[in-house]
Amino acid sequence: MSKKNKLRIIPLGGLGEVGKNMMAYEFAGEIIVVDAGIMFPENDMLGVDYIIPDFEYLIKRADQVRGLILTHGHEDHIGAIQHFIEHINVPIYATPLTCGLIEAKLLRNKSQNKVQFKTVQAGESSDIGPFKVEYFHVSHSIPDAVSLGITTPAGLVIHMSDFKFDHTPVDGWPTDFAKLAEFATRGVDLLLSDSTNAERAGWTPSESIIGPAFDQVFAEAKGRVIVATFASLISRIQQVADAAQKNGRKMAIAGLSMVDNVKVARKLKYLDIPDDLIVPIEQALTMQDHKVVIMCTGSQGEPSSIVGRLSAGTNRQFALKPSDTVVLSSHPIPGNEESISKTINRLLRRGANVIDDQVAPIHVSGHAAQEEQKLLINLVRPKNFMPIHGELRMLKRHAQLAREVGIAEGNTLVVENGQVVELIGNKIQLGELIPGGYVFVHGESIGDIDRGIMKERGQLARNGIFLVDISVDKDSGKILNEPEVLTRGFVSPEEAQTLLPEVRKRVLQAVNGGGVTNEKDIINTIKSYLHQETRRRPMVLITLSKS
Ligand SMILES: [Zn+2]
Ligand SMILES: [Zn+2]
């Protein structure tokens, strides 16, 4: 089989994790990229704002990249775009709402790079280098989401981004089953599909079940209703607006990103909210409580979000009232359970009524569950299958589901980020390994923080720091003055009173006694003494000056 017929599938993000989705397709030296998302840090990634994919592979081949296709406007698919376009300036293919959300985002972040948008509609196609890309509609928790049929001389690949089979979605636009069936009649060589809910049995409920639940909450709430969700969960914003309208409440939106997104979605007619339903937040705060709904971010318990600040009593614009009902309309992203739980407890402590998806059906997933995933495979009947979007255990489970509906084990590959897969002669095989790790973003620093720094931060956070300043005579090597000792986050002031003089004494003895001369040995002397006394291991640093 000649190299000319080989399609390379290059997972750069989203395989082996939930978030920062990015996939590259390479054929005859030309590349298209699907999605450029971010992921939020795990609990042990201290001081990290967010994580973007490592796309070194693409940066090195920037002149071979022909386009970036963004399937929908969620952060785990578009969040890294600003970093992408800094390195790779190619046309961006996306539907009108996705383009609008990206534009608003780049403006908010004051990105200097010019973007060339190629706005596409579901049902259309683009020829990008050797790739023919067909966009088709999928229902999800944001309108205007598409998945892709990608045709090259190596065959037809279906890239299912986030989707569900909702027959009664909020925007009335279900997944394009006819298109999927048409692909099947053409013969699908490889199906890649969203694994987020591969561990959930049954069907994901329709978005339409949320409406009545919201209605009930809005009708029963005595005071204000504060609904928290993701800024990009546009369908949910529509449902809140509908419930507000029905229950005689006005809706205010708090938070920059949500205000922006609502503006864009209304302008492009993806949100149907009458002008007189929306009031500025300043006005809402002067209205009677039972006439108001405030929409904001923070359903994941993020401390910097509005709900996070309300729970901590640090929100500047308005404070929580005991009569407020707070609705957390999302499901915990794996790893966020703890911070959500803490936030709920704080809200309750302030007297608010809190409703999450355990209490009432005010959230449904935007992702297909097992029966939908199996239906997709049966509908498409692909020759090969590759699970994407999910932690390893979700990917494995999804591959198992594929086998249950008749995809042979040899035609399924489970890989994580950085493992190239090749489609050649209707078969898939493993290619080489490339970098596919994390790039941490912290303020203006992008990629400078590595695992080593993260480890140090963990050690500092757990055990604190112990600092010793020593000056020695450069000729005799003896300590001139009493060593200075500083400690933070390690021991209480009382403990320090006994510990610190003893450390000074031991350092003096060690150095002046002649046994210990270099920094490493002095550090070890201090470390072993501190561990012997406290059973803890703080970070020990010394500054050694000779004069
Ligand atoms: Zn999504
Ligand atoms: Zn996603």
Side-chain angles (χ1 to χ4, degrees):
M1 200 60 58
S2 81
K3 213 180 160 189
K4 281 209 310 258
N5 284 322
K6 185 161 81 176
L7 174 70
R8 283 160 53 78
I9 298 132
I10 304 161
L12 295 166
L15 276 74
E17 66 202 358
V18 172
K20 72 175 178 65
N21 296 294
M22 184 185 270
M23 180 72 85
Y25 291 92
E26 183 174 348
F27 187 87
E30 299 189 69
I31 300 170
I32 53 170
V33 184
V34 180
D35 290 328
I38 56 169
M39 186 166 96
F40 292 101
E42 287 157 27
N43 290 341
D44 60 345
M45 297 172 182
L46 299 163
V48 173
D49 299 333
Y50 57 86
I51 305 159
I52 61 173
D54 180 348
F55 54 97
E56 190 61 40
Y57 183 89
L58 299 176
I59 295 173
K60 284 196 182 136
R61 293 164 182 78
D63 59 330
Q64 292 164 254
V65 181
R66 299 287 175 261
L68 170 64
I69 302 160
L70 298 167
T71 57
H72 63 286
H74 283 158
E75 287 296 317
D76 58 325
H77 296 258
I78 66 165
I81 185 145
Q82 193 185 340
H83 304 285
F84 186 91
I85 60 176
E86 245 166 55
H87 299 279
I88 301 164
N89 187 12
V90 292
I92 292 176
Y93 299 80
T95 58
L97 178 62
T98 310
C99 288
L101 294 173
I102 296 166
E103 239 171 341
K105 182 182 179 60
L106 292 174
L107 214 62
R108 214 164 40 239
N109 296 339
K110 301 187 177 61
S111 172
Q112 302 299 321
N113 299 75
K114 274 268 158 286
V115 184
Q116 334 163 32
F117 283 111
K118 303 255 188 190
T119 307
V120 296
Q121 305 277 356
E124 293 181 350
S125 64
S126 314
D127 291 302
I128 312 172
F131 304 92
K132 181 187 165 92
V133 180
E134 294 168 81
Y135 312 92
F136 59 99
H137 184 73
V138 287
S139 54
H140 184 37
S141 47
I142 185 168
D144 227 8
V146 289
S147 282
L148 312 171
I150 303 171
T151 304
T152 63
L156 170 59
V157 175
I158 309 282
H159 182 109
M160 283 307 265
S161 190
D162 298 355
F163 77 100
K164 67 192 277 192
F165 286 159
D166 191 341
H167 301 293
T168 50
V170 178
D171 60 1
W173 196 2
T175 294
D176 190 346
F177 293 102
K179 188 71 193 179
L180 286 168
E182 188 217 309
F183 284 133
T185 58
R186 277 196 245 162
V188 174
D189 295 287
L190 172 63
L191 169 68
L192 299 94
S193 178
D194 171 16
S195 311
T196 310
N197 280 349
E199 294 172 313
R200 278 204 213 171
W203 286 77
T204 299
S206 169
E207 299 280 327
S208 62
I209 70 156
I210 297 176
F214 268 125
D215 261 352
Q216 194 181 348
V217 172
F218 282 37
E220 285 172 6
K222 300 269 179 288
R224 300 185 299 193
V225 178
I226 299 171
V227 181
T229 189
F230 296 109
S232 57
L233 215 56
I234 306 289
S235 309
R236 196 58 41 81
I237 297 171
Q238 179 70 57
Q239 290 174 306
V240 172
D242 293 346
Q245 175 97 329
K246 257 193 192 167
N247 289 281
R249 289 176 184 260
K250 299 283 182 198
M251 176 164 143
I253 294 149
L256 259 189
S257 51
M258 201 178 269
V259 169
D260 271 0
N261 289 352
V262 169
K263 211 180 279 170
V264 169
R266 286 183 77 203
K267 198 174 104 195
L268 297 171
K269 310 234 177 304
Y270 289 96
L271 269 179
D272 180 17
I273 306 177
D275 286 336
D276 65 351
L277 187 71
I278 297 196
V279 296
I281 180 82
E282 297 79 13
Q283 188 183 332
L285 297 176
T286 65
M287 293 169 62
Q288 286 177 291
D289 287 350
H290 68 282
K291 296 279 182 202
V292 175
V293 178
I294 298 171
M295 280 224 76
C296 60
T297 56
S299 56
Q300 296 290 311
E302 311 93 312
S304 61
S305 68
I306 291 175
V307 163
R309 296 199 305 256
L310 284 173
S311 78
T314 55
N315 193 44
R316 267 195 234 153
Q317 202 170 24
F318 61 98
L320 198 71
K321 296 182 184 179
S323 55
D324 287 342
T325 298
V326 180
V327 183
L328 302 178
S329 183
S330 75
H331 190 70
I333 292 173
N336 289 355
E337 295 85 354
E338 195 187 316
S339 69
I340 295 174
S341 173
K342 277 188 185 150
T343 306
I344 291 176
N345 285 325
R346 286 196 204 105
L347 292 166
L348 291 170
R349 208 164 284 136
R350 290 177 184 277
N353 181 22
V354 181
I355 294 171
D356 66 358
D357 65 343
Q358 313 273 322
V359 178
I362 41 83
H363 175 73
V364 293
S365 173
H367 301 267
Q370 289 178 353
E371 293 308 310
E372 292 152 276
Q373 291 170 339
K374 287 192 269 187
L375 175 59
L376 173 74
I377 296 168
N378 268 331
L379 194 57
V380 169
R381 293 312 314 163
K383 294 192 185 84
N384 299 284
F385 177 73
M386 191 176 147
I388 57 172
H389 298 177
E391 293 175 11
L392 185 58
R393 55 174 227 239
M394 303 164 188
L395 302 178
K396 289 263 187 200
R397 187 77 186 90
H398 202 178
Q400 191 189 331
L401 293 176
R403 288 198 292 277
E404 284 169 23
V405 292
I407 307 291
E409 178 143 24
N411 296 104
T412 304
L413 271 183
V414 175
V415 301
E416 294 188 88
N417 297 336
Q419 172 63 62
V420 176
V421 170
E422 297 172 339
L423 174 67
I424 180 163
N426 310 127
K427 288 215 159 45
I428 47 173
Q429 63 190 32
L430 293 178
E432 83 277 24
L433 269 174
I434 57 153
Y438 291 138
V439 173
F440 296 118
V441 179
H442 184 190
E444 290 294 310
S445 135
I446 298 144
D448 305 325
I449 309 166
D450 58 14
R451 285 281 177 190
I453 295 182
M454 212 57 68
K455 227 178 119 185
E456 283 180 4
R457 286 182 179 181
Q459 196 194 355
L460 275 170
R462 277 188 300 275
N463 293 312
I465 187 168
F466 201 94
L467 208 76
V468 185
D469 181 42
I470 302 167
S471 46
V472 297
D473 184 276
K474 65 177 184 315
D475 298 321
S476 69
K478 296 267 192 277
I479 293 185
L480 292 170
N481 310 310
E482 269 275 275
E484 293 236 33
V485 184
L486 263 174
T487 166
R488 288 286 181 276
F490 169 49
V491 286
S492 67
E494 296 77 46
E495 267 184 288
Q497 275 186 10
T498 54
L499 220 50
L500 267 46
E502 187 59 29
V503 170
R504 281 193 205 101
K505 213 174 93 192
R506 289 191 179 228
V507 171
L508 265 172
Q509 271 173 4
V511 180
N512 288 357
V516 176
T517 49
N518 66 45
E519 293 188 26
K520 214 176 138 203
D521 290 340
I522 301 172
I523 289 178
N524 284 337
T525 305
I526 300 169
K527 273 188 177 167
S528 62
Y529 170 69
L530 292 176
H531 186 248
Q532 170 200 319
E533 290 298 311
T534 66
R535 296 284 140 205
R536 273 170 281 160
R537 296 184 193 280
M539 181 176 283
V540 176
L541 293 178
I542 66 167
T543 54
L544 189 64
S545 52
K546 294 182 180 171
S547 54

